[in-house]
mmCIF file of all heavy atoms in Angstrom:
data_model
loop_
_atom_site.group_PDB
_atom_site.id
_atom_site.type_symbol
_atom_site.label_atom_id
_atom_site.label_comp_id
_atom_site.label_asym_id
_atom_site.label_seq_id
_atom_site.Cartn_x
_atom_site.Cartn_y
_atom_site.Cartn_z
ATOM 1 N N GLY A 1 5.644 -27.448 15.925
ATOM 2 C CA GLY A 1 4.713 -28.074 15.000
ATOM 3 C C GLY A 1 3.669 -27.101 14.417
ATOM 4 O O GLY A 1 4.023 -26.130 13.786
ATOM 5 N N MET A 2 2.444 -27.443 14.623
ATOM 6 C CA MET A 2 1.335 -26.765 14.024
ATOM 7 C C MET A 2 1.292 -25.260 14.440
ATOM 8 O O MET A 2 1.038 -24.391 13.608
ATOM 9 C CB MET A 2 -0.005 -27.422 14.437
ATOM 10 C CG MET A 2 -1.216 -26.718 13.867
ATOM 11 S SD MET A 2 -1.267 -26.771 12.094
ATOM 12 C CE MET A 2 -2.256 -28.257 11.904
ATOM 13 N N GLU A 3 1.565 -24.961 15.715
ATOM 14 C CA GLU A 3 1.536 -23.582 16.145
ATOM 15 C C GLU A 3 2.570 -22.749 15.402
ATOM 16 O O GLU A 3 2.326 -21.608 14.990
ATOM 17 C CB GLU A 3 1.813 -23.520 17.677
ATOM 18 C CG GLU A 3 0.678 -24.013 18.498
ATOM 19 C CD GLU A 3 1.059 -24.049 19.980
ATOM 20 O OE1 GLU A 3 2.260 -24.136 20.292
ATOM 21 O OE2 GLU A 3 0.118 -24.030 20.813
ATOM 22 N N LEU A 4 3.748 -23.309 15.204
ATOM 23 C CA LEU A 4 4.819 -22.603 14.532
ATOM 24 C C LEU A 4 4.426 -22.318 13.079
ATOM 25 O O LEU A 4 4.661 -21.223 12.559
ATOM 26 C CB LEU A 4 6.116 -23.442 14.576
ATOM 27 C CG LEU A 4 7.392 -22.720 14.151
ATOM 28 C CD1 LEU A 4 7.635 -21.479 14.938
ATOM 29 C CD2 LEU A 4 8.556 -23.695 14.266
ATOM 30 N N ILE A 5 3.834 -23.296 12.425
ATOM 31 C CA ILE A 5 3.386 -23.134 11.008
ATOM 32 C C ILE A 5 2.299 -22.044 10.992
ATOM 33 O O ILE A 5 2.318 -21.187 10.088
ATOM 34 C CB ILE A 5 2.894 -24.439 10.430
ATOM 35 C CG1 ILE A 5 4.088 -25.422 10.243
ATOM 36 C CG2 ILE A 5 2.234 -24.214 9.068
ATOM 37 C CD1 ILE A 5 3.666 -26.858 9.902
ATOM 38 N N CYS A 6 1.365 -22.093 11.902
ATOM 39 C CA CYS A 6 0.299 -21.067 11.920
ATOM 40 C C CYS A 6 0.906 -19.677 12.097
ATOM 41 O O CYS A 6 0.461 -18.749 11.389
ATOM 42 C CB CYS A 6 -0.692 -21.366 13.039
ATOM 43 S SG CYS A 6 -1.735 -22.780 12.723
ATOM 44 N N PHE A 7 1.846 -19.496 12.999
ATOM 45 C CA PHE A 7 2.433 -18.175 13.214
ATOM 46 C C PHE A 7 3.252 -17.781 12.002
ATOM 47 O O PHE A 7 3.378 -16.585 11.675
ATOM 48 C CB PHE A 7 3.229 -18.135 14.510
ATOM 49 C CG PHE A 7 2.363 -17.918 15.711
ATOM 50 C CD1 PHE A 7 2.240 -18.922 16.659
ATOM 51 C CD2 PHE A 7 1.621 -16.736 15.838
ATOM 52 C CE1 PHE A 7 1.417 -18.734 17.777
ATOM 53 C CE2 PHE A 7 0.804 -16.577 16.940
ATOM 54 C CZ PHE A 7 0.685 -17.583 17.932
ATOM 55 N N GLU A 8 3.865 -18.736 11.285
ATOM 56 C CA GLU A 8 4.573 -18.402 10.071
ATOM 57 C C GLU A 8 3.621 -17.863 9.013
ATOM 58 O O GLU A 8 3.928 -16.852 8.355
ATOM 59 C CB GLU A 8 5.287 -19.671 9.515
ATOM 60 C CG GLU A 8 6.071 -19.427 8.288
ATOM 61 C CD GLU A 8 6.778 -20.670 7.758
ATOM 62 O OE1 GLU A 8 6.738 -21.738 8.413
ATOM 63 O OE2 GLU A 8 7.319 -20.627 6.641
ATOM 64 N N ILE A 9 2.465 -18.469 8.906
ATOM 65 C CA ILE A 9 1.433 -18.030 7.957
ATOM 66 C C ILE A 9 0.995 -16.589 8.375
ATOM 67 O O ILE A 9 1.014 -15.657 7.550
ATOM 68 C CB ILE A 9 0.235 -18.954 7.901
ATOM 69 C CG1 ILE A 9 0.643 -20.308 7.310
ATOM 70 C CG2 ILE A 9 -0.917 -18.356 7.100
ATOM 71 C CD1 ILE A 9 -0.376 -21.418 7.555
ATOM 72 N N ILE A 10 0.616 -16.452 9.624
ATOM 73 C CA ILE A 10 0.076 -15.180 10.158
ATOM 74 C C ILE A 10 1.084 -14.039 9.947
ATOM 75 O O ILE A 10 0.754 -12.919 9.479
ATOM 76 C CB ILE A 10 -0.367 -15.312 11.619
ATOM 77 C CG1 ILE A 10 -1.587 -16.207 11.705
ATOM 78 C CG2 ILE A 10 -0.633 -13.945 12.221
ATOM 79 C CD1 ILE A 10 -1.859 -16.732 13.139
ATOM 80 N N SER A 11 2.332 -14.307 10.331
ATOM 81 C CA SER A 11 3.386 -13.274 10.219
ATOM 82 C C SER A 11 3.586 -12.829 8.777
ATOM 83 O O SER A 11 3.603 -11.638 8.473
ATOM 84 C CB SER A 11 4.672 -13.805 10.804
ATOM 85 O OG SER A 11 5.740 -12.881 10.575
ATOM 86 N N ASN A 12 3.748 -13.784 7.884
ATOM 87 C CA ASN A 12 4.012 -13.478 6.511
ATOM 88 C C ASN A 12 2.870 -12.804 5.783
ATOM 89 O O ASN A 12 3.053 -11.782 5.087
ATOM 90 C CB ASN A 12 4.492 -14.691 5.686
ATOM 91 C CG ASN A 12 5.930 -15.066 6.001
ATOM 92 O OD1 ASN A 12 6.808 -14.274 5.724
ATOM 93 N ND2 ASN A 12 6.167 -16.218 6.550
ATOM 94 N N VAL A 13 1.658 -13.301 5.953
ATOM 95 C CA VAL A 13 0.564 -12.704 5.234
ATOM 96 C C VAL A 13 0.125 -11.370 5.888
ATOM 97 O O VAL A 13 -0.397 -10.489 5.184
ATOM 98 C CB VAL A 13 -0.670 -13.696 5.064
ATOM 99 C CG1 VAL A 13 -0.213 -14.917 4.316
ATOM 100 C CG2 VAL A 13 -1.310 -14.022 6.355
ATOM 101 N N GLY A 14 0.378 -11.233 7.168
ATOM 102 C CA GLY A 14 0.145 -9.931 7.812
ATOM 103 C C GLY A 14 1.062 -8.897 7.275
ATOM 104 O O GLY A 14 0.645 -7.750 7.025
ATOM 105 N N THR A 15 2.301 -9.212 7.055
ATOM 106 C CA THR A 15 3.248 -8.290 6.452
ATOM 107 C C THR A 15 2.849 -7.962 4.999
ATOM 108 O O THR A 15 2.915 -6.805 4.587
ATOM 109 C CB THR A 15 4.675 -8.852 6.488
ATOM 110 O OG1 THR A 15 5.039 -9.115 7.840
ATOM 111 C CG2 THR A 15 5.689 -7.952 5.850
ATOM 112 N N ALA A 16 2.404 -9.004 4.296
ATOM 113 C CA ALA A 16 1.930 -8.796 2.915
ATOM 114 C C ALA A 16 0.763 -7.855 2.878
ATOM 115 O O ALA A 16 0.747 -6.893 2.063
ATOM 116 C CB ALA A 16 1.521 -10.132 2.265
ATOM 117 N N ARG A 17 -0.188 -8.041 3.742
ATOM 118 C CA ARG A 17 -1.370 -7.169 3.794
ATOM 119 C C ARG A 17 -0.948 -5.731 4.085
ATOM 120 O O ARG A 17 -1.458 -4.769 3.461
ATOM 121 C CB ARG A 17 -2.388 -7.669 4.825
ATOM 122 C CG ARG A 17 -3.711 -6.891 4.762
ATOM 123 C CD ARG A 17 -4.760 -7.365 5.701
ATOM 124 N NE ARG A 17 -4.268 -7.393 7.070
ATOM 125 C CZ ARG A 17 -4.320 -8.442 7.849
ATOM 126 N NH1 ARG A 17 -4.873 -9.587 7.477
ATOM 127 N NH2 ARG A 17 -3.848 -8.370 9.091
ATOM 128 N N GLY A 18 -0.041 -5.558 4.987
ATOM 129 C CA GLY A 18 0.455 -4.212 5.296
ATOM 130 C C GLY A 18 1.098 -3.555 4.063
ATOM 131 O O GLY A 18 0.922 -2.381 3.801
ATOM 132 N N CYS A 19 1.828 -4.334 3.265
ATOM 133 C CA CYS A 19 2.450 -3.807 2.045
ATOM 134 C C CYS A 19 1.377 -3.395 1.045
ATOM 135 O O CYS A 19 1.488 -2.378 0.373
ATOM 136 C CB CYS A 19 3.365 -4.857 1.366
ATOM 137 S SG CYS A 19 4.922 -5.170 2.281
ATOM 138 N N TYR A 20 0.296 -4.192 0.947
ATOM 139 C CA TYR A 20 -0.795 -3.870 0.033
ATOM 140 C C TYR A 20 -1.482 -2.562 0.442
ATOM 141 O O TYR A 20 -1.852 -1.747 -0.396
ATOM 142 C CB TYR A 20 -1.766 -4.999 -0.059
ATOM 143 C CG TYR A 20 -1.157 -6.349 -0.508
ATOM 144 C CD1 TYR A 20 -1.635 -7.561 -0.052
ATOM 145 C CD2 TYR A 20 -0.095 -6.353 -1.425
ATOM 146 C CE1 TYR A 20 -1.060 -8.746 -0.481
ATOM 147 C CE2 TYR A 20 0.465 -7.556 -1.850
ATOM 148 C CZ TYR A 20 -0.014 -8.761 -1.355
ATOM 149 O OH TYR A 20 0.527 -9.963 -1.775
ATOM 150 N N VAL A 21 -1.668 -2.372 1.750
ATOM 151 C CA VAL A 21 -2.272 -1.161 2.217
ATOM 152 C C VAL A 21 -1.371 0.059 1.893
ATOM 153 O O VAL A 21 -1.818 1.099 1.475
ATOM 154 C CB VAL A 21 -2.617 -1.210 3.738
ATOM 155 C CG1 VAL A 21 -3.003 0.132 4.281
ATOM 156 C CG2 VAL A 21 -3.671 -2.266 3.982
ATOM 157 N N GLU A 22 -0.035 -0.158 2.087
ATOM 158 C CA GLU A 22 0.901 0.908 1.778
ATOM 159 C C GLU A 22 0.816 1.223 0.257
ATOM 160 O O GLU A 22 0.942 2.393 -0.115
ATOM 161 C CB GLU A 22 2.335 0.497 2.134
ATOM 162 C CG GLU A 22 2.610 0.600 3.661
ATOM 163 C CD GLU A 22 4.027 0.229 3.941
ATOM 164 O OE1 GLU A 22 4.953 0.876 3.385
ATOM 165 O OE2 GLU A 22 4.272 -0.731 4.733
ATOM 166 N N ALA A 23 0.671 0.197 -0.532
ATOM 167 C CA ALA A 23 0.561 0.396 -1.999
ATOM 168 C C ALA A 23 -0.639 1.267 -2.342
ATOM 169 O O ALA A 23 -0.538 2.143 -3.217
ATOM 170 C CB ALA A 23 0.483 -0.922 -2.710
ATOM 171 N N ILE A 24 -1.756 1.036 -1.681
ATOM 172 C CA ILE A 24 -2.935 1.858 -1.881
ATOM 173 C C ILE A 24 -2.619 3.309 -1.522
ATOM 174 O O ILE A 24 -2.980 4.262 -2.275
ATOM 175 C CB ILE A 24 -4.143 1.326 -1.082
ATOM 176 C CG1 ILE A 24 -4.605 -0.048 -1.623
ATOM 177 C CG2 ILE A 24 -5.298 2.336 -1.089
ATOM 178 C CD1 ILE A 24 -5.595 -0.767 -0.749
ATOM 179 N N ASP A 25 -2.017 3.524 -0.371
ATOM 180 C CA ASP A 25 -1.659 4.890 0.033
ATOM 181 C C ASP A 25 -0.731 5.560 -0.960
ATOM 182 O O ASP A 25 -0.919 6.739 -1.304
ATOM 183 C CB ASP A 25 -0.995 4.874 1.416
ATOM 184 C CG ASP A 25 -1.959 4.459 2.541
ATOM 185 O OD1 ASP A 25 -3.213 4.580 2.340
ATOM 186 O OD2 ASP A 25 -1.489 4.043 3.601
ATOM 187 N N LEU A 26 0.247 4.861 -1.452
ATOM 188 C CA LEU A 26 1.177 5.389 -2.419
ATOM 189 C C LEU A 26 0.461 5.742 -3.758
ATOM 190 O O LEU A 26 0.761 6.768 -4.354
ATOM 191 C CB LEU A 26 2.325 4.429 -2.696
ATOM 192 C CG LEU A 26 3.345 4.281 -1.537
ATOM 193 C CD1 LEU A 26 4.186 3.023 -1.703
ATOM 194 C CD2 LEU A 26 4.201 5.510 -1.402
ATOM 195 N N ALA A 27 -0.440 4.860 -4.162
ATOM 196 C CA ALA A 27 -1.195 5.160 -5.408
ATOM 197 C C ALA A 27 -2.036 6.362 -5.239
ATOM 198 O O ALA A 27 -2.157 7.176 -6.200
ATOM 199 C CB ALA A 27 -2.022 3.917 -5.783
ATOM 200 N N THR A 28 -2.610 6.545 -4.087
ATOM 201 C CA THR A 28 -3.434 7.737 -3.849
ATOM 202 C C THR A 28 -2.623 9.022 -3.931
ATOM 203 O O THR A 28 -3.119 10.053 -4.332
ATOM 204 C CB THR A 28 -4.049 7.615 -2.412
ATOM 205 O OG1 THR A 28 -4.833 6.444 -2.373
ATOM 206 C CG2 THR A 28 -4.945 8.798 -2.071
ATOM 207 N N GLU A 29 -1.309 8.920 -3.629
ATOM 208 C CA GLU A 29 -0.392 10.067 -3.740
ATOM 209 C C GLU A 29 0.195 10.166 -5.161
ATOM 210 O O GLU A 29 0.998 11.101 -5.400
ATOM 211 C CB GLU A 29 0.749 9.905 -2.731
ATOM 212 C CG GLU A 29 0.301 9.897 -1.317
ATOM 213 C CD GLU A 29 1.427 9.535 -0.309
ATOM 214 O OE1 GLU A 29 2.577 9.473 -0.757
ATOM 215 O OE2 GLU A 29 1.114 9.266 0.837
ATOM 216 N N GLY A 30 -0.208 9.269 -6.054
ATOM 217 C CA GLY A 30 0.334 9.300 -7.419
ATOM 218 C C GLY A 30 1.706 8.663 -7.580
ATOM 219 O O GLY A 30 2.331 8.796 -8.617
ATOM 220 N N LYS A 31 2.186 7.968 -6.550
ATOM 221 C CA LYS A 31 3.506 7.330 -6.559
ATOM 222 C C LYS A 31 3.338 5.866 -7.090
ATOM 223 O O LYS A 31 3.473 4.931 -6.305
ATOM 224 C CB LYS A 31 4.144 7.370 -5.195
ATOM 225 C CG LYS A 31 4.344 8.791 -4.712
ATOM 226 C CD LYS A 31 4.891 8.829 -3.262
ATOM 227 C CE LYS A 31 5.117 10.234 -2.783
ATOM 228 N NZ LYS A 31 5.503 10.243 -1.365
ATOM 229 N N TYR A 32 3.091 5.732 -8.387
ATOM 230 C CA TYR A 32 2.716 4.442 -8.889
ATOM 231 C C TYR A 32 3.867 3.420 -8.958
ATOM 232 O O TYR A 32 3.639 2.245 -8.726
ATOM 233 C CB TYR A 32 2.077 4.593 -10.295
ATOM 234 C CG TYR A 32 0.872 5.495 -10.262
ATOM 235 C CD1 TYR A 32 0.888 6.713 -10.936
ATOM 236 C CD2 TYR A 32 -0.211 5.150 -9.476
ATOM 237 C CE1 TYR A 32 -0.218 7.546 -10.833
ATOM 238 C CE2 TYR A 32 -1.337 5.995 -9.429
ATOM 239 C CZ TYR A 32 -1.312 7.169 -10.129
ATOM 240 O OH TYR A 32 -2.385 8.007 -10.015
ATOM 241 N N GLU A 33 5.047 3.888 -9.267
ATOM 242 C CA GLU A 33 6.154 2.962 -9.253
ATOM 243 C C GLU A 33 6.429 2.383 -7.886
ATOM 244 O O GLU A 33 6.642 1.166 -7.725
ATOM 245 C CB GLU A 33 7.420 3.664 -9.812
ATOM 246 C CG GLU A 33 8.573 2.720 -10.064
ATOM 247 C CD GLU A 33 9.771 3.395 -10.748
ATOM 248 O OE1 GLU A 33 9.535 4.215 -11.670
ATOM 249 O OE2 GLU A 33 10.920 3.139 -10.300
ATOM 250 N N GLU A 34 6.382 3.246 -6.893
ATOM 251 C CA GLU A 34 6.559 2.797 -5.491
ATOM 252 C C GLU A 34 5.415 1.858 -5.081
ATOM 253 O O GLU A 34 5.629 0.895 -4.343
ATOM 254 C CB GLU A 34 6.635 3.971 -4.560
ATOM 255 C CG GLU A 34 7.914 4.809 -4.735
ATOM 256 C CD GLU A 34 7.891 6.049 -3.835
ATOM 257 O OE1 GLU A 34 7.736 5.914 -2.599
ATOM 258 O OE2 GLU A 34 8.068 7.194 -4.379
ATOM 259 N N ALA A 35 4.238 2.148 -5.492
ATOM 260 C CA ALA A 35 3.081 1.301 -5.198
ATOM 261 C C ALA A 35 3.268 -0.073 -5.768
ATOM 262 O O ALA A 35 2.995 -1.061 -5.095
ATOM 263 C CB ALA A 35 1.795 1.969 -5.698
ATOM 264 N N GLU A 36 3.724 -0.136 -7.003
ATOM 265 C CA GLU A 36 3.961 -1.430 -7.652
ATOM 266 C C GLU A 36 5.058 -2.210 -6.922
ATOM 267 O O GLU A 36 4.956 -3.435 -6.800
ATOM 268 C CB GLU A 36 4.344 -1.245 -9.147
ATOM 269 C CG GLU A 36 3.253 -0.626 -9.991
ATOM 270 C CD GLU A 36 2.119 -1.545 -10.293
ATOM 271 O OE1 GLU A 36 2.176 -2.753 -10.038
ATOM 272 O OE2 GLU A 36 1.086 -1.066 -10.819
ATOM 273 N N GLN A 37 6.101 -1.464 -6.431
ATOM 274 C CA GLN A 37 7.132 -2.142 -5.691
ATOM 275 C C GLN A 37 6.554 -2.730 -4.405
ATOM 276 O O GLN A 37 6.973 -3.843 -4.011
ATOM 277 C CB GLN A 37 8.251 -1.150 -5.387
ATOM 278 C CG GLN A 37 9.048 -0.790 -6.592
ATOM 279 C CD GLN A 37 10.020 0.356 -6.346
ATOM 280 O OE1 GLN A 37 10.038 1.018 -5.277
ATOM 281 N NE2 GLN A 37 10.875 0.636 -7.355
ATOM 282 N N LYS A 38 5.655 -2.014 -3.750
ATOM 283 C CA LYS A 38 5.032 -2.498 -2.515
ATOM 284 C C LYS A 38 4.201 -3.752 -2.813
ATOM 285 O O LYS A 38 4.141 -4.679 -2.021
ATOM 286 C CB LYS A 38 4.183 -1.464 -1.826
ATOM 287 C CG LYS A 38 4.982 -0.455 -0.998
ATOM 288 C CD LYS A 38 5.602 -1.224 0.178
ATOM 289 C CE LYS A 38 6.524 -0.360 0.937
ATOM 290 N NZ LYS A 38 7.242 -1.106 2.028
ATOM 291 N N ILE A 39 3.534 -3.761 -3.930
ATOM 292 C CA ILE A 39 2.747 -4.944 -4.350
ATOM 293 C C ILE A 39 3.699 -6.143 -4.484
ATOM 294 O O ILE A 39 3.397 -7.265 -4.012
ATOM 295 C CB ILE A 39 1.988 -4.734 -5.647
ATOM 296 C CG1 ILE A 39 0.879 -3.663 -5.493
ATOM 297 C CG2 ILE A 39 1.386 -6.038 -6.216
ATOM 298 C CD1 ILE A 39 -0.346 -4.096 -4.744
ATOM 299 N N ALA A 40 4.826 -5.923 -5.139
ATOM 300 C CA ALA A 40 5.792 -7.003 -5.368
ATOM 301 C C ALA A 40 6.375 -7.474 -4.031
ATOM 302 O O ALA A 40 6.508 -8.684 -3.794
ATOM 303 C CB ALA A 40 6.903 -6.493 -6.282
ATOM 304 N N GLU A 41 6.672 -6.533 -3.141
ATOM 305 C CA GLU A 41 7.200 -6.882 -1.835
ATOM 306 C C GLU A 41 6.147 -7.712 -1.059
ATOM 307 O O GLU A 41 6.456 -8.718 -0.473
ATOM 308 C CB GLU A 41 7.581 -5.644 -1.038
ATOM 309 C CG GLU A 41 8.153 -5.921 0.323
ATOM 310 C CD GLU A 41 8.434 -4.659 1.131
ATOM 311 O OE1 GLU A 41 8.458 -3.543 0.562
ATOM 312 O OE2 GLU A 41 8.672 -4.768 2.355
ATOM 313 N N GLY A 42 4.909 -7.242 -1.075
ATOM 314 C CA GLY A 42 3.867 -7.943 -0.424
ATOM 315 C C GLY A 42 3.653 -9.329 -0.959
ATOM 316 O O GLY A 42 3.451 -10.279 -0.223
ATOM 317 N N SER A 43 3.756 -9.468 -2.287
ATOM 318 C CA SER A 43 3.581 -10.770 -2.905
ATOM 319 C C SER A 43 4.621 -11.760 -2.478
ATOM 320 O O SER A 43 4.343 -12.941 -2.324
ATOM 321 C CB SER A 43 3.604 -10.599 -4.433
ATOM 322 O OG SER A 43 2.457 -9.890 -4.849
ATOM 323 N N SER A 44 5.857 -11.265 -2.258
ATOM 324 C CA SER A 44 6.904 -12.225 -1.817
ATOM 325 C C SER A 44 6.624 -12.748 -0.421
ATOM 326 O O SER A 44 6.850 -13.916 -0.140
ATOM 327 C CB SER A 44 8.295 -11.550 -1.856
ATOM 328 O OG SER A 44 8.401 -10.511 -0.909
ATOM 329 N N TYR A 45 6.049 -11.906 0.462
ATOM 330 C CA TYR A 45 5.677 -12.372 1.802
ATOM 331 C C TYR A 45 4.453 -13.283 1.708
ATOM 332 O O TYR A 45 4.346 -14.288 2.353
ATOM 333 C CB TYR A 45 5.345 -11.186 2.710
ATOM 334 C CG TYR A 45 6.562 -10.498 3.249
ATOM 335 C CD1 TYR A 45 7.004 -9.283 2.714
ATOM 336 C CD2 TYR A 45 7.321 -11.080 4.277
ATOM 337 C CE1 TYR A 45 8.113 -8.634 3.199
ATOM 338 C CE2 TYR A 45 8.459 -10.460 4.762
ATOM 339 C CZ TYR A 45 8.848 -9.211 4.233
ATOM 340 O OH TYR A 45 9.973 -8.608 4.732
ATOM 341 N N PHE A 46 3.504 -12.893 0.832
ATOM 342 C CA PHE A 46 2.302 -13.702 0.666
ATOM 343 C C PHE A 46 2.648 -15.123 0.261
ATOM 344 O O PHE A 46 2.088 -16.116 0.773
ATOM 345 C CB PHE A 46 1.335 -13.084 -0.311
ATOM 346 C CG PHE A 46 0.054 -13.859 -0.457
ATOM 347 C CD1 PHE A 46 -1.014 -13.633 0.460
ATOM 348 C CD2 PHE A 46 -0.122 -14.817 -1.408
ATOM 349 C CE1 PHE A 46 -2.171 -14.366 0.352
ATOM 350 C CE2 PHE A 46 -1.274 -15.496 -1.543
ATOM 351 C CZ PHE A 46 -2.327 -15.303 -0.659
ATOM 352 N N VAL A 47 3.576 -15.253 -0.660
ATOM 353 C CA VAL A 47 3.990 -16.563 -1.192
ATOM 354 C C VAL A 47 4.558 -17.393 -0.073
ATOM 355 O O VAL A 47 4.274 -18.614 0.064
ATOM 356 C CB VAL A 47 4.985 -16.449 -2.355
ATOM 357 C CG1 VAL A 47 5.673 -17.788 -2.659
ATOM 358 C CG2 VAL A 47 4.275 -15.909 -3.615
#
């Protein structure tokens, strides 16, 4: 029930947040296409 839904939220948005942090790191290195891909990947988990 509720616990399972909560962990589903936590797992997915935690993965999304990790992708967003990776996107920042990639942008700092000038790898903008890869950074945009990480944003898109993170967004799919966030949804």
Side-chain angles (χ1 to χ4, degrees):
M2 179 64 93
E3 290 174 337
L4 191 58
I5 293 170
C6 288
F7 280 115
E8 181 180 353
I9 295 167
I10 292 164
S11 174
N12 281 298
V13 301
T15 301
R17 188 177 55 233
C19 288
Y20 302 146
V21 170
E22 285 182 56
I24 292 169
D25 292 339
L26 289 164
T28 301
E29 297 170 12
K31 299 176 181 176
Y32 302 116
E33 189 174 317
E34 292 175 54
E36 296 288 349
Q37 290 171 351
K38 278 296 174 184
I39 294 285
E41 181 183 346
S43 293
S44 68
Y45 283 103
F46 183 84
V47 166

